[in-house]
Amino acid sequence: MYNRYVVVDLETTGNIYKGGIDKITQVAAVVIENGEVIEIFSMFVNPGKPIPPFIAELTGINDDLVQQAPSFQDVAPMIAELLENSCFVAHNVHFDWRFLQEELKLSGFPSVVCPSIDTVELARILLPTAESHKLGDLAKLFALEHENPHRADSDAMVTAELFLLLCNKLAALPLVTLQSLYNLSRSFKSDISELLSALILDKLVSSSPKEEYDIYRNLALRKRSYEAPAEEASPIEFSAWKTLMQQNGHPNGFEYRAGQIQMAEEVYDAFSSARISLIEAGTGTGKTLAYLIPSLFHARKAEQPVVISTQTVQLQQQIVEKEIPVLRKLLPFSFQTAVMKGRKHYICLQKFEHVLEEQDENYDTVLTKAKILVWLLETETGDVDELNLPTGGKLLWERICSGGNSTGTSNPWNSRCFYQQAKHRVLFADLIVTNHALLLQDATNEDSLLSSYGYVVLDEAHHIEEAASHMLGEQFSCMQFQLWLSRMGTLETNDVLSNIRDILGDTLDPAWKKIHHVLKEVKWESDELFRLLRSFIFEKNKSKQADSNVRVLYRYERKTEKGKLWNAITEGADRLIHILEELYVLLQGQVQKSGRLAEYVIVQQFITLVDSLDEMRQTLLHLLLQEQQDGVTWFEAETKGSIHSTIIYKQPIDVSDLLADRFFAKKKSVVLTSATLTVNHTFDYIIRALGLSDFCPSAMAISSPFQYDQQVRMMVPTDLPSIKQVPQDEYVEAIARHIIKIAKVTNGRMLVLFTSYEMLRQTHAAIKETGALEEFALLAQGVSSSRMRMTKQFQQFEKSILFGTSSFWEGIDIPGESLSCLVMVRLPFVPPDHPIMAAKGEKIERGGGNAFIELALPQAILRFKQGFGRLIRTESDTGTFFVLDRRITTTFYGKRFIASIPAIPLYEQPLQNLLELMENG
């Protein structure tokens, strides 16, 4: 084990270390020996060049501060001496290490050679569920004092404290986990193998304490906890409890809001009278508790569970992690909850045990294995949503998640199966939390786990139509097919096919050579078909070519498509499907032989791959060679993607009858709720879209408690061109100028919502190119980082602008001063040529209706309401709502958008006048 660690942090003028393009402005080091801090070193450095405004804003280090500081050449001897016989530690070690080495070289010093440890990597392994591994976020997680983030002295001290905490956690891991991590450590970026080997030796020679983990087959798991039922208080009726709460309050400080009481009563009454109810609950109503409380009262009284279904994982987590603990303190009885997700969410321990033995050089794969080893010591659910996986780790998860062949008597891990445990919890639950996709999938399967439960709450109910359409549709992904070929491999690669042949021990069977040959044919024919598909899509989208990587769509109808390219596609598809059928028959022969070895993981993987081959073959046949009577079909491809980026889709045009017959008719009572269900103050659109007309649902709209007229102002600049009358490039330049001017008045704190990624990218690039907002953090979806990380960064920087599309229109919650200005670039109409939209519109027009009024406008208004809802999240929030699309005041339908949100002051003037109005309060 290393005896001396030097924890280093640098501040620099930028990210380019090569050739001294960017320079160090501050260096700090914390020396640790025998687990204690023995020395702290910190010094500003004169970089010999101006510090960029954005860096000065971020770090607080400006030109004046470093003017009298020594150059790096002056401090280089001290730094070189400090690092002697030490292990170099940093948070993102390669950044600091490379900068130091380059500066030492430019100062005439030889390269320093020493082991290094990256606390980012160590944290990713030892904190597998942490949402972020940024230093500031980890400091908050461990309550470490971090007074000056992005200053080297503060960052180095926090990194040192974090490193000591991580070392302690590493030392506390059980022996079998340390041994498995050691086997993986040669692929880590950090030099921690010596650290691990010392810990392993220490545990081997010391007397073993009572083991707190479940050790089985050289894997350590968290021991399962069993809750004994609590003593029940006297039963109480919901109405009596509610009256008690209103009169006396609750010792835990809970207060019912007026709208919350109204909604809770409606939910309870809907369940008691077995009817369907639609409830639009405005922001701030407290709708989650308003349906959870009556649901639990009803579940206990009827002795039947209530299913709570959401669209997003975030809301599921909020219910389980935030609301359920509140309810346990609030309600006069105990209750059981269960979370149920699709089986691919759960790890299969047998598969993980198998892949752990594989030698793998891929860094993301090795890192994921290490994270899972630690996670298994902590998780009770085995649910992947707890994990923060690297991008490449998601491919590994596909191999180790629970599947149809994961359970059975031959699986030695069956008694510890997380998926089976989740199903078992459902059987004894009062409240079952799930997602729309699984709930609707189960609705089509009589034998499924959730289909028999009669009482349901659908939160985020405005997504039900979309979820049902996706669930009832089909898709063929060329990338998934390529991954299938890669996983199966050939006899020349060390993949499933060669491994299964070795296990069966029948290497002389000529069928193997035949399979090998046919697989090569499949690879050639599939690549040829995918090339043709890609060419066809771009031939049909010549006017939509883009400089950036965007997805292009083309709606096709098999019976009407013509031309040489289409004929080549159908001929190629026919050839490929026949070869796939031949391959399936050959592989099935080997599946039958492998039955006697079903306990082997590789055999289960082989059977799963063969089954999925048949599914993909049938899907391709259906989508490309058979007539489509009941849906819309289309292709999607990425402009800059490979030939494997194409996806073929089919979805039903109308899901209303299917939802009515397969779902709503089979339930006793369903409550549908969302902040956005009404259009023009009626529920007509959502009732029609979801097939609820025959059920005569009750409907209730509960207003938000917020004083919107005092908290928000809406502003529409009149000096912008009409988007329909100018080219997009000209419109982008105009909105970029407007956003810059608005940002300078608001000091950032802006969320800018777009309806297309292409316009977002162009606007973001145009603003950056001007250099007018150098001191601002410009965070763009699809350019900067993940949605969650961008949201956190937006809240961290004082001057920040967040450019978002799609998922940013809903589901993000940024209360307080972090967000004080919302800019909506365009009214959120779905493009009329989108395949689903076009097909639905055509159906309406054939029936004598108006597709714009009955479909496009209602959908856009619901989206508009979702976007507007991002601005005011608490009673104390205030802000300005800019709409840059003049159609909101110049068209007959624009009034409907304005009428769909709470009444707020509206100002329509040239931008300069609006900005003066903002500055004057």
Side-chain angles (χ1 to χ4, degrees), residues 7-74:
V7 184
V8 174
D9 191 84
L10 307 176
E11 300 305 331
T12 65
T13 60
N15 296 323
I16 306 173
Y17 68 92
K18 280 275 188 185
I21 292 176
D22 282 310
K23 307 289 285 183
I24 293 172
T25 59
Q26 187 186 18
V27 57
V30 177
V31 182
I32 297 172
E33 290 185 6
N34 301 315
E36 292 185 1
V37 174
I38 64 163
E39 184 182 349
I40 299 172
F41 170 90
S42 178
M43 185 174 288
F44 289 114
V45 177
N46 189 331
K49 61 181 295 185
I51 297 173
F54 173 72
I55 299 294
E57 168 75 21
L58 179 67
T59 64
I61 301 172
N62 55 36
D63 293 332
D64 293 338
L65 202 57
V66 298
Q67 189 173 7
Q68 302 301 320
S71 67
F72 185 85
Q73 192 166 6
D74 294 331

Side-chain angles (χ1 to χ4, degrees), residues 483-508:
L483 288 172
W484 184 94
L485 286 173
S486 176
R487 188 72 197 106
M488 180 63 81
T490 66
L491 296 181
E492 296 167 350
T493 62
N494 184 28
D495 294 299
V496 171
L497 188 71
S498 59
N499 289 335
I500 199 75
R501 181 193 63 173
D502 294 343
I503 283 180
L504 290 177
D506 199 6
T507 55
L508 298 178

Side-chain angles (χ1 to χ4, degrees), residues 615-630:
E615 289 173 13
M616 288 189 291
R617 181 187 65 82
Q618 290 186 45
T619 302
L620 192 62
L621 173 67
H622 189 213
L623 292 175
L624 286 181
L625 298 180
Q626 293 179 346
E627 297 297 336
Q628 305 294 326
Q629 302 295 333
D630 56 349

Side-chain angles (χ1 to χ4, degrees), residues 804-865:
T805 183
S806 58
S807 61
F808 278 91
W809 283 77
E810 60 179 295
I812 64 163
D813 194 357
I814 309 174
E817 294 185 358
S818 294
L819 175 60
S820 62
C821 182
L822 175 69
V823 179
M824 197 175 287
V825 172
R826 293 189 66 176
L827 295 177
F829 286 100
V830 176
D833 59 349
H834 185 282
I836 288 282
M837 197 70 175
K840 286 183 175 183
E842 289 163 10
K843 184 178 179 182
I844 290 170
E845 298 283 348
R846 285 196 301 268
N850 184 311
F852 179 78
I853 297 297
E854 296 177 36
L855 178 66
L857 186 57
Q859 285 195 358
I861 287 173
L862 289 175
R863 195 73 167 156
F864 180 82
K865 290 169 70 175

Side-chain angles (χ1 to χ4, degrees), residues 32 38 103 234 241 316 360 381 464 482 725 756 778 898:
I32 297 172
I38 64 163
E103 288 276 30
S234 301
W241 179 82
Q316 284 182 33
D360 205 311
T381 67
I464 288 293
Q482 176 64 23
Q725 296 175 355
S756 85
L778 304 178
I898 297 170

Side-chain angles (χ1 to χ4, degrees), residues 51 176 451 651 690 840:
I51 297 173
V176 291
S451 62
Q651 288 185 13
L690 301 184
K840 286 183 175 183

Side-chain angles (χ1 to χ4, degrees), residues 2 5 87 115-118 121-122 125-126 163 170 181-182 184-186 188-199 370:
Y2 309 116
Y5 301 91
C87 179
S116 65
I117 293 177
D118 187 358
E121 182 178 61
L122 208 54
I125 294 167
L126 295 173
F163 175 63
L170 192 65
L181 287 173
Y182 180 79
L184 298 171
S185 63
R186 64 188 179 87
F188 296 158
K189 294 175 182 175
S190 299
D191 301 311
I192 64 169
S193 56
E194 188 174 324
L195 192 59
L196 287 166
S197 63
L199 292 171

